[in-house]
Amino acid sequence: MTLATHDEIRIHGTVAPGFEAVRDRFAANFTRDDDSREVGAAVAVYRHGALVVDLWAGVRDEARREPWTADTLVNVWSTTKGVTAIALARLVDQGKVDYAAPVAAYWPEFAQAGKADITVAQLVSHQAGLPGFVDPTPLSDFYHWEIVASRLAAQAPMWEPGTKNSYHAMTYGFLAGEIIRRVSGRSVGRFVAEEIAGPLGADVHIGLAERDEPRVAAMIPPKAGEGFDPATMPPEALAAVANPAMEPAIPHDRAWRAAEVPAGNGHATALGLARIFGALANGGELDGVRLMSPATIAKLTTVQTRREDVMLGFKPFWAHGVALNDSGVFGPRPGTFGHSGWGGSFACADPGTGVAIGYVMNQMGGGLVGDPRAVGLCHAVFASL
């Protein structure tokens, strides 16, 4: 590994020989002439269980006073869903959860309002008809697990489960997380800490301890973007983002950071994400820690729907809580899987090449999927193999 340097922007970290193009692509993101120009960011890459890229640069605040460091944490929005999906897959690996089983087998109250036959697979592939809350739900309710879990248990689906899919933007984490809680006896944040992040030494948190607050980068809202226009959104899509309204500044509040919102408030370093996905790219094991078997990884990544997503407006290949790379957002290889977050962050793994990538930033881009900085990094990584 060599110290990463670049003429135009000071890049910190290391790059293995042959992966210099990733460093150059990362540096170029700081000199873009569009609305996606980086302020602070980090990227990390594993290949066959070895760390080959670990880079960070820029500053962690909009005032540009605090340098980004190796241990800077940032809210990764929906990239959190990928970590939650891996947590559920670990229970599948342990024989405690079956994707084909009804959710109500693990969470009996969920059978209310015509939901008795909804399977775990339908739930985690955005087909369950619960993309948002019907009852008025202020953001403060997200900080009280029992309130949101009981509300979802009592709610009727917005469509016949299994007949369409619309991104469960915030409900996904509470739904999958309640299965994890019922089966393991632990909250999803504690389960991730004890079963995944802790053993791997991965700096990834769902529910951030107060001691880690000084390490958090402030999110910077998109300079431009698609936005959410209630007048043009289908009701399924509107339910996902309008009750409560999701705003870029939400992660600035300590209450949000401290809560467990497993669809959207994970805090991570790029290296932490890359370590978790690096295990999955390496047969389920990294540095002697086994998360799951290759057979379970195959189950996790078995596609459940190829139809157009009502909210996203394209056809994501939803598997069991992760997306397969049909659209090329994770580079050129279709077998790559992972999850993106609002504004640009992502984590992905390709078992075929043994590659895993984690990327985080504080300057949010304008889209939900396909941020040009992230796509460029993925292509640079795979071109280096």
Side-chain angles (χ1 to χ4, degrees), residues 293-368:
S293 69
T296 301
I297 297 172
K299 291 179 182 178
L300 169 66
T301 58
T302 298
V303 175
Q304 301 301 298
T305 173
R306 290 176 168 86
R307 68 171 72 91
E308 182 169 312
D309 187 286
V310 173
M311 177 177 171
L312 299 179
F314 65 96
K315 297 179 179 180
F317 285 14
W318 287 122
H320 290 116
V322 294
L324 271 289
N325 190 34
D326 63 301
S327 60
V329 296
F330 301 133
R333 290 181 55 82
T336 307
F337 65 89
H339 215 293
S340 302
W342 184 22
S345 69
F346 76 93
C348 67
D350 176 27
T353 59
V355 164
I357 311 169
Y359 164 72
V360 302
M361 77 300 134
N362 58 354
Q363 174 59 67
M364 293 176 64
L368 292 176

Side-chain angles (χ1 to χ4, degrees), residues 206-225:
I206 301 176
L208 191 71
E210 190 167 7
R211 65 178 178 273
D212 292 314
E213 280 286 323
R215 300 197 284 134
V216 178
M219 299 302 293
I220 303 172
K223 294 184 176 72

Side-chain angles (χ1 to χ4, degrees), residues 23-70:
R23 175 202 60 203
D24 294 342
R25 179 70 265 167
F26 182 64
N29 284 340
F30 284 86
T31 59
R32 298 178 66 93
D33 59 1
D34 60 19
D35 291 329
S36 295
R37 184 169 180 163
E38 297 283 26
V39 174
V43 62
V45 182
Y46 275 84
R47 175 108 197 266
H48 297 315
L51 181 63
V52 294
V53 175
D54 183 19
L55 302 174
W56 62 94
V59 293
R60 67 186 194 193
D61 63 325
E62 196 166 9
R64 300 176 185 267
R65 296 191 181 97
E66 298 290 334
W68 197 287
T69 58

Side-chain angles (χ1 to χ4, degrees), residues 131-266:
F133 298 93
V134 173
D135 292 338
T137 301
L139 184 64
S140 58
D141 282 358
F142 278 17
Y143 309 151
H144 303 280
W145 189 274
E146 293 290 348
I147 290 176
V148 291
S150 61
R151 189 167 294 163
L152 289 168
Q155 187 170 308
M158 293 184 70
W159 62 81
E160 182 183 347
T163 63
K164 69 166 71 172
N165 50 278
S166 189
Y167 189 48
H168 289 42
M170 301 310 299
T171 57
Y172 169 91
F174 297 117
L175 294 165
E178 183 65 3
I179 297 173
I180 292 169
R181 190 180 77 87
R182 294 291 179 119
V183 173
S184 72
R186 290 171 279 180
S187 72
V188 62
R190 182 181 164 197
F191 185 88
V192 167
E194 294 178 353
E195 296 275 339
I196 298 172
L200 283 174
D203 204 353
V204 176
H205 313 261
I206 301 176
L208 191 71
E210 190 167 7
R211 65 178 178 273
D212 292 314
E213 280 286 323
R215 300 197 284 134
V216 178
M219 299 302 293
I220 303 172
K223 294 184 176 72
E226 302 160 356
F228 301 122
D229 183 359
T232 62
M233 295 178 74
E236 301 94 335
L238 187 62
V241 296
N243 182 29
M246 302 310 298
E247 302 288 348
I250 287 172
H252 296 169
D253 293 339
R254 171 60 192 158
W256 169 268
R257 295 173 181 172
E260 294 188 19
V261 186
N265 86 329

Side-chain angles (χ1 to χ4, degrees), residues 5-31:
T5 59
H6 197 277
D7 292 339
E8 296 185 42
I9 180 75
R10 184 170 179 80
I11 306 295
H12 304 272
T14 54
V15 176
F19 286 86
E20 292 86 358
V22 182
R23 175 202 60 203
D24 294 342
R25 179 70 265 167
F26 182 64
N29 284 340
F30 284 86
T31 59

